[in-house]
């Protein structure tokens, strides 16, 4: 379950309008509902489970104690990928399923899951030489059923430096170019949640689990607290799923105080740097000079995203933070491979830390060696808990959990259709959306239309509907960035944003990409959302 700080200022809520997605209405349905399935946790796995179950006709509720994706699911490397490095550990099944899911997600959400070129350089003394790299690339193409975005291409030194002129030339032996995909992880969670709601689910953020309702030893529902109003209420549910990620064991102990931990948490830190300081043109795979661990240097929203660390974490998931040594670990790797960058802590635009909910291995392993595969745990009370998993394979994991829920409910096995139903913004390719928007909005800049189509897909039309002849609403939220005031209204009215942080950290990523501008925006968003609404 995502961590959400207490004492937050919630955005002043305007009167609901016809057609708006009202948290109040969803909350009323939650309070009075009897559900087949209650999902606790609004990260990618919880959202995927709620969506799959709703698509199969179940009465579904989802609650999240913070905002949707406010935990680990917004703090990933933003990659939808097969996991090339898992081949080193012979996890062929995981890589194959991840490659297939990557390609499915590109069809379900073409505006959110986009191709990304990766350069993998090999230096003298690296643990993987050119021959082993080529074998790995061939295996990657094979496990993708040779339907990857494009086939990999071996690179000589000259070709590699032409693609990435900022890379260190000393000791370079060559490498490879291959393809995976990237996404906006928070928006992928959000649209998956909106899809669940679209198909009948009730999903509400800022609702915390207080405890379970039981008849004898069996769970029959949950006691919940609305963190906006403070109201406590009960809901009944025939099956409860614990999809809270790093908070999994805490929820299991709410059910059974004697429950032994099943997770080993691993902390992953990323830093955001100005692209012009690093100079990477593509995604680049490098290794930490300290321990040889793979680190990605990724082009992201006009900046460079570098990550990730992988260290075991002890303590409350609510207290995870970025340490100075985490930042230096990543900067050290960038300086080693991009000698012209010479980046220091003063160059970091932002940083963030997330926790991987790894299933506890039978013996002590380095955190990078622990499998990312999921595991389902069932308690004697009937609580279903999901550990492990990765962003790319969330749909498959959700399908497995809902299959289990259907067996519990005695419904037989209604086939999942989640692989065939696009996410709300994915019903048309973003290129088609952009062309249509340009045809009907000839006075608007093409760069703005490109931004809207790429971020919202077919829902970009809904964003522009908020403008309604008021050009002020096309003003940028932060100078030099494409996000507009109209989008802030849209996030609040149609995407269940409740706080300024919801908008700045997850609906947009301005809190990471333009932190100084985001600081000024917080007060605007807290005080003027209602005024903007009335002006519109």
């Amino acid at each position: 379950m995502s961590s959400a700080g207490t004492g937050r200022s919630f955005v002043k809520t305007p009167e609901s309008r016809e057609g708006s997605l009202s948290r109040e209405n969803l909350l009323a349905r939650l309070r009075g509902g009897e559900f087949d399935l209650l999902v606790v946790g609004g990260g990618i796995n919880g959202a995927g489970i709620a969506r799959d179950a709703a698509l199969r006709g179940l009465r579904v509720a989802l609650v999240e104690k913070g905002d949707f994706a406010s935990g680990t699911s917004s703090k990933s490397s933003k990659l939808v990928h097969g996991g090339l490095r898992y081949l080193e550990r012979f996890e062929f099944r995981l890589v194959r399923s991840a490659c297939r899911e990557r390609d499915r997600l590109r069809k379900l959400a073409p505006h959110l899951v986009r191709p990304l070129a990766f350069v993998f350089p090999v230096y003298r003394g690296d643990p993987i030489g050119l021959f082993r790299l080529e074998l790995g690339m061939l295996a990657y193409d094979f496990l993708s059923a040779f339907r990857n975005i494009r086939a990999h291409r071996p690179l000589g030194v000259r070709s590699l430096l032409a693609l990435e002129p900022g890379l260190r030339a000393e000791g370079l032996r060559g490498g490879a170019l291959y393809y995976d995909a990237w996404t906006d992880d928070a928006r992928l969670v959000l649209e998956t949640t909106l899809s669940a709601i679209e198909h009948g689910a009730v999903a509400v953020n800022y609702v915390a689990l207080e405890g379970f309702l039981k008849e004898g030893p069996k769970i029959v529902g949950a006691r919940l607290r609305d963190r906006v109003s403070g109201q406590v209420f009960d809901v009944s549910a025939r099956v409860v799923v614990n999809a809270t990620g790093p908070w999994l064991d805490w929820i299991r102990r709410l059910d059974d105080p004697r429950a032994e931990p099943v997770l080993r948490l691993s902390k992953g830190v990323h830093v955001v740097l100005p692209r012009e300081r690093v100079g990477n043109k593509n995604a680049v795979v490098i290794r930490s000079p300290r321990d040889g661990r793979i680190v990605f240097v990724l082009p992201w929203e006009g900046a460079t995203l570098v990550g990730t660390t992988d260290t075991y974490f002890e303590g409350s998931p609510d207290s995870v933070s970025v340490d100075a040594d985490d930042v230096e670990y990543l900067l050290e790797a960038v300086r080693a491979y991009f000698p012209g960058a010479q980046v220091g802590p003063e160059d970091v635009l932002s940083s963030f830390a997330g926790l991987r909910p790894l299933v506890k291995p039978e013996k002590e392993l380095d955190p990078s060696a622990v499998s990312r595969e999921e595991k389902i745990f069932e308690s004697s009370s009937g609580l279903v808990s999901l550990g492990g998993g990765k962003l790319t394979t969330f749909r498959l994991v959700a399908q497995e959990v809902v299959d289990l829920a259907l067996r519990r409910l005695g419904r037989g096995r209604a086939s999942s259709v989640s692989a065939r139903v696009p996410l709300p913004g994915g019903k048309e390719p973003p290129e088609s959306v952009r062309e249509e928007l340009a045809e009907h909005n000839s006075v608007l800049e093409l760069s703005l239309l490109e931004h809207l189509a790429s971020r919202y897909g077919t829902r970009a039309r809904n964003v522009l509907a908020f403008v309604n002849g008021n050009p002020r609403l096309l003003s940028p939220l932060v100078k030099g960035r494409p996000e507009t005031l109209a989008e802030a209204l849209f996030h609040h009215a149609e995407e269940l944003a409740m706080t300024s942080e919801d908008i700045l950290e997850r609906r947009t990523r301005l809190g990471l990409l333009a932190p100084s501008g985001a600081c000024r925006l917080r007060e605007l968003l807290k005080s003027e959302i209602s005024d903007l609404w009335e002006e519109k």
Side-chain angles (χ1 to χ4, degrees):
M1 188 181 291
S2 303
S3 61
T6 56
R8 277 188 179 179
S9 298
F10 288 87
V11 173
K12 187 168 66 174
T13 305
E15 293 297 319
S16 296
R17 67 183 182 91
E18 185 179 353
S20 66
L21 184 61
S22 165
R23 180 181 183 274
E24 290 73 20
N25 291 342
L26 289 167
L27 192 60
R29 288 172 58 196
L30 179 66
R31 286 194 197 102
E34 295 183 0
F35 300 98
D36 296 315
L37 182 66
L38 170 64
V39 182
V40 183
I44 190 62
N45 284 324
I49 292 165
R51 175 176 183 263
D52 189 285
L55 283 167
R56 297 203 225 184
L58 297 184
R59 296 170 299 169
V60 184
L62 179 148
V63 295
E64 162 58 48
K65 78 169 185 177
D67 185 27
F68 305 116
S70 56
T72 300
S73 294
S74 62
K75 299 176 176 67
S76 75
S77 296
K78 325 300 179 197
L79 297 180
V80 174
H81 63 140
L84 183 65
R85 69 185 184 89
Y86 302 139
L87 292 178
E88 294 182 51
R89 300 197 298 273
F90 307 106
E91 295 188 78
F92 299 120
R93 189 181 72 86
L94 177 61
V95 174
R96 183 178 62 180
S97 61
C99 286
R100 290 177 177 177
E101 285 303 296
R102 174 199 62 200
D103 297 335
R104 284 194 182 101
L105 289 174
R106 288 183 60 219
K107 295 175 182 176
L108 296 177
H111 59 306
L112 292 177
V113 181
R114 299 293 195 95
L116 181 62
F118 285 73
V119 171
F120 196 132
V122 173
Y123 287 84
R124 190 180 303 115
D126 278 357
I128 294 180
L130 290 173
F131 179 70
R132 280 187 63 192
L133 178 63
E134 177 64 12
L135 286 179
M137 291 293 170
L138 287 170
Y140 206 48
D141 286 345
F142 174 76
L143 291 169
S144 300
F146 296 100
R147 289 196 297 267
N148 204 342
I149 297 158
R150 292 182 189 172
H152 83 281
R153 178 160 57 94
L155 297 172
V157 172
R158 184 177 298 177
S159 298
L160 197 151
L161 290 177
L163 286 171
E164 289 294 338
L167 271 174
R168 185 181 86 239
E170 182 185 355
L172 183 63
R173 298 185 59 215
L177 177 72
Y178 74 99
Y179 292 84
D180 261 316
W182 70 277
T183 190
D184 185 324
D185 49 4
R187 293 204 63 83
L188 185 64
V189 175
L190 178 67
E191 285 217 19
T192 303
T193 305
L194 294 176
S195 178
I197 294 171
E198 186 179 275
H199 292 93
V202 176
V204 190
N205 49 357
Y206 295 102
V207 173
L209 175 70
E210 296 283 292
F212 293 106
L213 307 179
K214 294 186 177 182
E215 288 182 359
K218 297 297 183 182
I219 291 176
V220 294
R223 178 153 292 171
L224 306 173
R225 177 170 56 88
D226 176 15
R227 297 185 61 218
V228 179
S229 67
Q231 183 183 21
V232 176
F233 56 95
D234 295 342
V235 298
S236 63
R238 297 175 64 191
V239 178
V240 178
V241 173
N242 172 12
T244 56
W247 288 264
L248 193 84
D249 284 327
W250 186 84
I251 298 295
R252 291 175 65 250
R253 285 192 291 271
L254 269 184
D255 170 37
D256 177 4
R258 299 166 299 175
E260 291 293 325
V262 296
L263 296 185
R264 187 76 193 271
L265 302 181
S266 167
K267 183 172 78 166
V269 170
H270 294 78
V271 297
V272 182
L273 297 166
R275 178 81 66 82
E276 60 272 14
R277 288 304 309 273
V278 180
N280 63 303
K281 309 296 183 185
N282 304 277
V284 183
V285 184
I286 63 176
R287 291 185 182 274
S288 165
R290 291 192 198 180
D291 54 17
R293 188 181 185 279
I294 290 289
V295 172
F296 292 114
V297 179
L298 304 166
W300 183 61
E301 295 281 359
T304 293
L305 178 66
V306 182
T308 176
T309 63
D310 198 353
T311 54
Y312 282 131
F313 177 83
E314 305 290 342
S316 168
D318 292 305
S319 65
V320 64
S321 61
V322 177
D323 301 325
D325 189 59
D326 297 326
V327 173
E328 181 55 28
Y329 175 94
L330 297 172
L331 296 181
E332 192 178 82
V334 173
R335 291 193 296 265
Y337 283 81
F338 291 87
Q342 293 306 305
V343 286
E346 68 279 2
D347 298 303
V348 175
L349 294 174
S350 59
S351 60
F352 56 89
L355 293 175
R356 303 176 187 90
L358 305 179
V359 176
K360 194 174 182 179
E362 293 182 2
K363 60 181 181 179
E364 189 67 17
L365 295 172
D366 181 271
S368 296
V370 180
S371 175
R372 270 50 177 171
E373 290 203 70
E374 74 284 352
K375 187 173 181 179
I376 297 172
F377 302 90
E378 297 182 70
S379 73
S380 58
S381 67
L383 179 66
V384 177
S385 297
L386 174 65
K390 57 199 292 280
L391 180 70
T392 305
T393 54
F394 81 90
R395 194 202 61 81
L396 274 183
V397 174
Q399 185 174 304
E400 185 179 354
V401 172
V402 177
D403 285 345
L404 172 60
L406 286 170
R407 291 195 296 271
R408 288 271 198 91
L409 294 166
R411 296 282 190 92
R413 181 164 180 160
S415 297
S416 174
V417 296
S418 62
R420 301 195 297 274
V421 178
L423 295 188
K427 295 166 185 176
E428 298 172 30
E431 296 77 16
S432 300
V433 175
R434 183 194 62 226
E435 291 172 8
E436 182 197 324
L437 293 178
E439 185 178 339
H440 294 94
N441 299 275
S442 57
V443 297
L444 299 182
E445 293 185 10
L446 287 177
S447 59
L448 173 61
L449 300 181
E450 172 70 36
H451 158 72
L452 294 175
S454 297
R455 177 163 289 173
Y456 305 99
T458 55
R459 300 172 71 243
R461 302 160 185 149
N462 304 42
V463 178
L464 286 177
F466 276 76
V467 177
N468 197 25
N470 185 348
R472 181 192 171 207
L473 297 182
L474 292 176
S475 302
L477 288 170
V478 172
K479 187 177 180 180
R481 293 287 310 172
E483 296 84 0
T484 63
L485 287 170
E487 290 171 74
L489 278 175
F490 180 73
H491 300 321
H492 186 56
E494 302 291 349
E495 295 192 336
L496 298 169
M498 290 295 294
T499 74
S500 55
E501 281 74 19
D502 296 347
I503 294 173
L504 297 174
E505 303 295 332
R506 288 169 291 279
R507 306 306 185 278
T508 70
R509 310 317 288 270
L510 290 173
L512 297 174
L513 295 162
S516 58
C519 285
R520 294 191 297 272
L521 265 175
R522 279 182 174 84
E523 292 308 313
L524 168 73
L525 293 173
K526 287 177 184 177
S527 62
E528 293 193 21
I529 281 283
S530 294
D531 295 338
L532 286 169
W533 187 281
E534 292 303 322
E535 184 178 323
K536 174 191 174 299

